[in-house]
Amino acid sequence: MKVFCACLLISVTAWAHSQTVPKPDNAAQSQLSIADFGLIYPLSNDWVRATELLRRRLESSNSAPNFDILLAGVFVPKSNLSATSPFFSLRAYRQPATDCKKNLEAMIAHSQDKKDQPEGGVEEFSTAGRDYFRVNFARGVGARHQCVICTTANGHLLVWNAGAPNEKGLDAIVATLDSITVLPQRSAAESAQSAGQKNADVEGVPAKPLIARPERVKVSSGFTTGLLIKKVNPIYPSDARAAYIQGTVVLRAEISKAGGITDLELVDGPIELAGSAVAAVRQWKYKPYLLMGQPVTVDTQIQVNYQLRP
């Protein structure tokens, strides 16, 4: 598990490390998202997002990189998260650039005589109507397969750092690129309607109230606990127990209208315990949350506590 954490937090090349500067005391951290680049990047339920966790670890480091973490994910298909789970982190570099191949070739040049050695040159491929460039690296810690993938959006480089125990794991990461689509633009009719509404408000014409039932709501963890009808207790990982690791794993969860867990994100807690928490919480079931008499999707937080007992 420590291997997973370390690989998420460090770049696979000296090239990425060279694009950091000392972190000032009052450094403001950007929180750019996929949507800021005009894209949508959904992940299947086999993926557990760890974006916020990675951002927090990066903020606690002693450097201020010139990139923003847009997304991080770990592949956990109905099994425990482990040190060998395929993972990726997606970052956007703040400095404008549009030539992935040139930048990856520069990365290869910076990697000469370094620990992480590229295998071959820059490979180009396309999927879902978008062009990508990829560089594979020699197997690193734990003989893991690693690669860097690059594309451009809105005049900036988007770069994936990916790692997996084998090529099949890397293929699972590359397969997620098929789901990336362009963020829909507002139609002329929608823009005109919005403008008309704004003009009516400015001219003092009372706008017709629109009462609609939201499809999803944010609910406190204390309230959702009362809706829990099936709770599977986590199995304490033997390695974590032997290392005297305890604490609380915090997960951001999406509960479907039917009461099942449909999405999880790691927010905080010991990474050595995260996989056990995810495996257990995925099996929890809740009573549907009713709003105006109808079930809605719920966003909430779940805490899973691990305590060593004498």
Side-chain angles (χ1 to χ4, degrees):
M1 183 63 66
K2 292 182 179 179
V3 174
F4 156 74
C5 186
C7 290
L8 269 179
L9 295 178
I10 64 174
S11 172
V12 296
T13 66
W15 169 72
H17 282 299
S18 68
Q19 303 189 60
T20 62
V21 295
K23 183 177 181 180
D25 293 337
N26 60 348
Q29 296 296 320
S30 301
Q31 297 294 330
L32 293 179
S33 67
I34 298 293
D36 291 314
F37 292 89
L39 301 174
I40 300 175
Y41 191 175
L43 296 175
S44 72
N45 291 340
D46 285 336
W47 288 90
V48 176
R49 289 173 290 112
T51 310
E52 187 169 336
L53 177 65
L54 182 54
R55 284 174 172 172
R56 288 185 178 185
R57 300 295 170 89
L58 191 62
E59 288 173 2
S60 65
S61 66
N62 294 322
S63 62
N66 69 340
F67 58 81
D68 293 295
I69 299 295
L70 303 184
L71 182 66
V74 189
F75 191 58
V76 192
K78 299 181 181 179
S79 60
N80 283 351
L81 175 66
S82 72
T84 60
S85 298
F87 72 85
F88 73 85
S89 65
L90 171 60
R91 58 185 59 177
Y93 284 90
R94 298 174 189 147
Q95 183 177 357
T98 57
D99 194 331
C100 275
K101 184 175 182 180
K102 180 179 179 180
N103 278 272
L104 290 182
E105 288 173 345
M107 179 189 69
I108 293 174
H110 277 90
S111 299
Q112 299 302 318
D113 301 325
K114 301 294 182 180
K115 183 178 180 180
D116 296 312
Q117 288 291 317
E119 292 183 335
V122 178
E123 302 175 2
E124 183 176 356
F125 67 98
S126 299
T127 184
R130 181 174 293 275
D131 295 330
Y132 295 88
F133 296 83
R134 172 176 172 173
V135 173
N136 296 318
F137 282 81
R139 300 180 189 181
V141 179
R144 290 178 65 84
H145 293 236
Q146 300 180 66
C147 73
V148 172
I149 301 171
C150 178
T151 192
T152 58
N154 290 354
H156 290 263
L157 298 181
L158 303 187
V159 178
W160 284 254
N161 282 345
N166 48 45
E167 285 296 329
K168 184 178 180 180
L170 289 183
D171 289 342
I173 296 171
V174 173
T176 67
L177 305 180
D178 293 336
S179 67
I180 298 177
T181 57
V182 177
L183 190 67
Q185 299 295 319
R186 299 181 65 182
S187 67
E190 290 174 330
S191 299
Q193 182 180 4
S194 177
Q197 181 72 27
K198 182 177 180 180
N199 291 337
D201 292 340
V202 171
E203 294 171 4
V205 179
K208 184 178 180 179
L210 297 176
I211 301 177
R213 179 178 60 85
E215 290 298 317
R216 64 190 303 136
V217 294
K218 187 174 183 179
V219 178
S220 69
S221 58
F223 188 89
T224 54
T225 299
L227 299 175
L228 188 61
I229 57 177
K230 177 186 176 182
K231 181 178 181 180
V232 175
N233 291 323
I235 299 174
Y236 212 124
S238 56
D239 291 345
R241 186 186 295 275
Y244 299 98
I245 296 172
Q246 60 182 350
T248 300
V249 176
V250 181
L251 302 169
R252 183 176 293 117
E254 177 185 276
I255 304 173
S256 71
K257 295 178 181 180
I261 298 292
T262 53
D263 185 65
L264 286 173
E265 176 169 9
L266 298 174
V267 176
D268 202 2
I271 196 68
E272 294 85 355
L273 303 172
S276 169
V278 167
V281 171
R282 275 181 167 172
Q283 303 175 67
W284 291 11
K285 292 286 292 184
Y286 294 79
K287 295 179 183 177
Y289 182 85
L290 302 181
L291 184 65
M292 300 182 186
Q294 297 296 322
V296 294
T297 301
V298 169
D299 290 325
T300 191
Q301 277 198 350
I302 295 174
Q303 296 185 356
V304 183
N305 298 312
Y306 292 80
Q307 184 175 2
L308 294 170
R309 300 185 183 278

